[in-house]
């Protein structure tokens, strides 16, 4: 990276207490940071945020499953999703995995 400075600009830089070469080195490092390191840092933060949201969603879903289980044992009315999960558990599937798999699906309503 070539940086051409006029004599007036060099005098202003020297008034700040650093040399022109030090100023150019700092400018080069700042440019490198914003061109290469900063986008990678943003990508890492976004990826970590998405992972945290997924973990929180899974924990909340597990809590909801536990509450539905408690409601089922206390003979409270339970949702259709839990009834489906209970049927799949009786067939040998893992209850938590079926609960997570049916998180955003709509179960068919029987009109028979």
């Amino acid at each position: 990276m070539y940086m051409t400075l006029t004599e007036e600009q060099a005098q202003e830089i020297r008034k700040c207490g650093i040399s022109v070469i030090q100023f150019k080195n700092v400018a080069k490092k700042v440019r490198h940071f914003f061109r290469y390191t900063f986008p990678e840092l943003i990508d890492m933060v976004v990826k970590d945020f998405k992972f945290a949201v997924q973990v929180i969603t899974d924990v909340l879903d597990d809590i909801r499953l536990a509450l539905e289980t408690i409601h089922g044992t206390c003979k409270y009315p339970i949702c259709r999703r839990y009834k489906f999960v209970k049927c799949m558990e009786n067939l040998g599937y893992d209850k938590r995995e079926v609960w997570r798999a049916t998180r955003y699906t709509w179960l068919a309503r029987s009109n028979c």
Side-chain angles (χ1 to χ4, degrees):
M1 173 178 98
Y2 292 102
M3 191 182 308
T4 307
L5 298 172
T6 63
E7 188 59 35
E8 293 84 21
Q9 292 171 334
Q11 289 174 0
E12 291 295 322
I13 292 170
R14 287 187 199 110
K15 283 181 186 177
C16 294
I18 61 173
S19 69
V20 176
I21 294 173
Q22 288 173 337
F23 176 79
K24 287 183 177 183
N25 285 337
V26 168
K28 181 180 176 184
K29 288 177 184 177
V30 168
R31 180 175 173 251
H32 182 270
F33 174 77
F34 280 108
R35 177 174 268 188
Y36 300 108
T37 309
F38 191 67
E40 291 176 6
L41 184 66
I42 297 248
D43 289 341
M44 287 184 350
V45 168
V46 167
K47 187 171 75 172
D48 291 341
F49 182 74
K50 287 180 181 179
F51 179 73
V53 167
Q54 182 65 33
V55 167
I56 290 171
T57 305
D58 289 344
V59 167
L60 291 176
D61 211 33
D62 286 342
I63 291 171
R64 187 170 172 206
L65 174 62
L67 290 175
E68 291 288 339
T69 306
I70 291 170
H71 283 235
T73 57
C74 296
K75 305 299 182 202
Y76 291 117
I78 57 175
C79 70
R80 290 179 290 151
R81 179 177 166 202
Y82 183 71
K83 289 178 186 175
F84 176 76
V85 171
K86 191 76 169 165
C87 292
M88 295 302 283
E89 181 189 24
N90 291 339
L91 292 175
Y93 292 99
D94 183 29
K95 183 182 357 179
R96 291 187 186 279
E97 294 301 320
V98 174
W99 182 263
R100 285 191 179 136
T102 59
R103 179 182 301 153
Y104 299 113
T105 58
W106 293 93
L107 300 177
R109 197 171 82 190
S110 177
N111 291 329
C112 298

